[in-house]
Amino acid sequence: MYQCHLCGKKLVSIISLGQQPLANRLLNSPDQIDDIWYDATWSWCDDCKLLMLVDPPSPDIVFESNYPYLTGQSKFMNEHFEKTAHTLYHQYNLDSAKVIEIGCNDGGLETLIKDHHDVLGFEPASACCPILEAKGIPHRRMKFDARSARETAEAWGKANLVYCANTLRSLKDLRGFFMAVLEMLYDDGVFVIEDPYIVDIVNRNEFDQFYSEYVYGFTITSMQNIARMFGMEVIDIDPLPDNHGGSLRWHMARVGKRPISTNVEALKVANSEFALKDKLNRFQQMIDDISTMFVDELVHLRDTDKKVVGYGATAKSVTLLNYANIDSELLPVIYDTTPTKVGKYLPGVHVPIRDAKEFSDVPKGCIVILFPYNLKREIFDREKGRRWLLYFPSVHYEESDAA
């Protein structure tokens, strides 16, 4: 029986997505063997109010040297970081502040603030580091833990603000991570976390969010419980409904050092977190229903000679396609704008990835499956006059207006 990664109590099994490949371990040829799979079973801790992958793959493998995801490829994410920098700057009076981002990827936030703040990024994926160097962003390519935090604090100083976006949920050792954050923060410093909100994921049926990089699904209650373990408290929350299918920005500080916004309890009540476990208990059936309907629709399109392609070779797409056993017979190709993905093949299902520059050659009557649905507005603005097949919150079609 599996135990909670944080408190050690017995877990309750909630959903299983079967055996899954590493989502961003793209293949070089359709004949290449997928050599690493993991058991995608997710369980619930009643004490922590925390959803977790019970046996996650090693982060050393997940974030290896050819890790392909770059936030700077998305106009939406660039705009998000610009708004975030402005918001945090004014909220916490960050003139001449020292700012650290953990899991900084290609430096979207640091690029915006490095001329006004002393910034430092931590990034374990070596593929991102040459980009950070080219942008002139100070960074350390190493694991962020208590030892590296202590060394950094001694050499660089403590931070007024520690920020991480879509990073915390990928770290199994929350205890070690929070101890490291406390090493880096000034006594009145603020720790800001952005991650998908499990209530939004469940309400929108977005089960493809459960892929190999991620270990946890957070609630407001679970974040409060985690903060309390380390002498901190959640002082504010910002809803981010368009980020990664629905996220929250949690603000934390040491107990008593900052006032607590009324947003915290108000959002918890408004989102009916007390009812989450009941919804999770029905989640597996919903997953199976959507997967079946999606496959049935693709089979119907194939049998009626409708051409189908995919748009956006996301890590999320790997979860859906592998769970539903959708391979290149039903989905012959996916187009993507990320240079490091073009020419590769999705793991498990071996669907080829082509350059989105070729997408304009695809006939307008073709059905296009949209995998990065969180970027729908950006993509619809760019790709006019298309008929799109989406699968959340249910299988349905949408049109992007003609140019």
Side-chain angles (χ1 to χ4, degrees):
M1 182 63 66
Y2 286 102
Q3 296 175 317
C4 175
H5 304 321
L6 190 60
C7 74
K9 299 291 180 61
K10 186 172 72 172
L11 295 172
V12 178
S13 181
I14 294 291
I15 61 172
S16 174
L17 294 167
Q19 293 293 310
Q20 289 278 345
L22 298 187
N24 276 309
R25 194 178 175 90
L26 303 178
L27 308 180
N28 294 316
S29 80
D31 301 320
Q32 185 176 341
I33 296 173
D34 299 281
D35 55 346
I36 301 177
W37 295 74
Y38 71 100
D39 178 11
T41 297
W42 288 76
S43 295
W44 175 257
C45 177
D46 267 325
D47 283 63
C48 297
K49 307 304 179 191
L50 190 59
L51 189 69
M52 65 194 70
L53 181 64
V54 295
D55 190 17
S58 167
D60 294 335
I61 300 171
V62 172
F63 299 104
E64 61 186 2
S65 60
N66 59 352
Y67 180 73
Y69 178 70
L70 299 173
T71 57
Q73 295 288 331
S74 167
K75 176 185 175 184
F76 174 84
M77 290 308 298
N78 288 328
E79 291 174 348
H80 166 70
F81 285 129
E82 185 173 359
K83 293 174 186 175
T84 298
H86 182 269
T87 298
L88 297 179
Y89 176 85
H90 289 283
Q91 185 168 358
Y92 296 115
N93 299 315
L94 293 178
D95 260 338
S96 304
K98 297 172 82 72
V99 178
I100 282 181
E101 182 177 6
I102 306 162
C104 63
N105 197 265
D106 59 1
L109 182 70
E110 288 81 2
T111 301
L112 296 164
I113 66 174
K114 66 184 179 67
D115 294 335
H116 308 286
H117 306 287
D118 196 356
V119 300
L120 181 66
F122 278 79
E123 178 51 57
S126 59
C128 298
C129 293
I131 301 172
L132 294 170
E133 290 167 8
K135 291 180 176 180
I137 296 172
H139 63 281
R140 305 192 75 182
R141 189 194 166 231
M142 60 173 57
K143 180 181 179 182
F144 183 77
D145 55 21
R147 178 178 177 179
S148 62
R150 194 176 305 115
E151 291 173 353
T152 302
E154 291 172 357
W156 184 80
K158 289 184 178 288
N160 304 94
L161 177 75
V162 174
Y163 173 81
C164 65
N166 302 297
T167 297
L168 190 65
R169 65 172 173 158
S170 68
L171 304 172
K172 180 180 178 181
D173 183 14
L174 292 179
R175 190 174 299 276
F177 183 80
F178 270 81
M179 293 302 293
V181 169
L182 291 171
E183 288 279 355
M184 284 302 315
L185 266 184
Y186 279 120
D187 194 47
D188 62 348
V190 179
F191 179 31
V192 176
I193 303 157
E194 291 180 12
D195 263 310
Y197 181 36
I198 190 62
V199 173
D200 284 344
I201 289 173
V202 171
N203 287 341
R204 300 178 189 186
N205 299 336
E206 295 168 353
F207 68 88
D208 62 347
Q209 292 274 8
F210 301 119
Y211 57 92
S212 57
E213 288 180 22
Y214 297 117
V215 183
Y216 295 106
F218 296 114
T219 62
I220 297 172
T221 306
S222 66
M223 282 294 197
Q224 290 176 310
N225 291 338
I226 294 166
R228 195 175 301 117
M229 290 180 182
F230 303 100
M232 303 183 81
E233 56 192 354
V234 177
I235 60 171
D236 203 358
I237 297 175
D238 303 316
L240 303 170
D242 297 325
N243 281 38
H244 299 280
S247 298
L248 293 180
R249 180 188 293 132
W250 289 270
H251 305 240
M252 293 185 185
R254 287 179 171 87
V255 172
K257 294 297 181 180
R258 299 269 181 170
I260 299 176
S261 169
T262 56
N263 287 346
V264 177
E265 290 303 319
L267 281 169
K268 189 161 64 171
V269 172
N271 287 303
S272 304
E273 286 202 351
F274 65 88
L276 178 60
K277 189 179 177 185
D278 287 340
K279 293 180 179 179
L280 284 169
N281 286 333
R282 300 190 295 272
F283 204 50
Q284 183 72 57
Q285 186 60 55
M286 182 281 307
I287 291 171
D288 293 340
D289 290 346
I290 286 180
S291 299
T292 298
M293 287 187 287
F294 190 55
V295 171
D296 287 348
E297 183 63 20
L298 292 180
V299 169
H300 169 72
L301 292 170
R302 180 199 62 191
D303 292 347
T304 54
D305 297 322
K306 298 287 188 182
K307 184 175 181 180
V308 177
V309 301
Y311 195 100
T314 61
K316 298 193 291 278
S317 70
V318 174
T319 297
L320 170 66
L321 296 176
N322 277 278
Y323 185 71
N325 293 313
I326 297 168
D327 58 16
S328 56
E329 180 188 354
L330 291 176
L331 179 61
V333 63
I334 293 181
Y335 293 89
D336 198 278
T337 59
T338 309
T340 50
K341 295 183 179 182
V342 173
K344 306 287 188 178
Y345 295 78
L346 285 184
V349 292
H350 297 202
V351 176
I353 305 168
R354 292 184 187 165
D355 196 326
K357 293 176 182 176
E358 302 173 19
F359 184 65
S360 59
D361 297 330
V362 175
K364 289 293 177 98
C366 179
I367 302 299
V368 187
I369 303 171
L370 181 65
F371 291 109
Y373 47 84
N374 52 304
L375 303 177
K376 183 176 74 172
R377 284 183 291 180
E378 176 183 335
I379 293 169
F380 279 19
D381 285 344
R382 186 169 65 236
E383 307 293 352
K384 303 286 190 180
R386 296 287 183 178
R387 183 165 171 77
W388 304 83
L389 175 59
L390 291 87
Y391 42 92
F392 294 140
S394 60
V395 178
H396 67 285
Y397 288 93
E398 295 187 25
E399 312 286 337
S400 55
D401 294 336

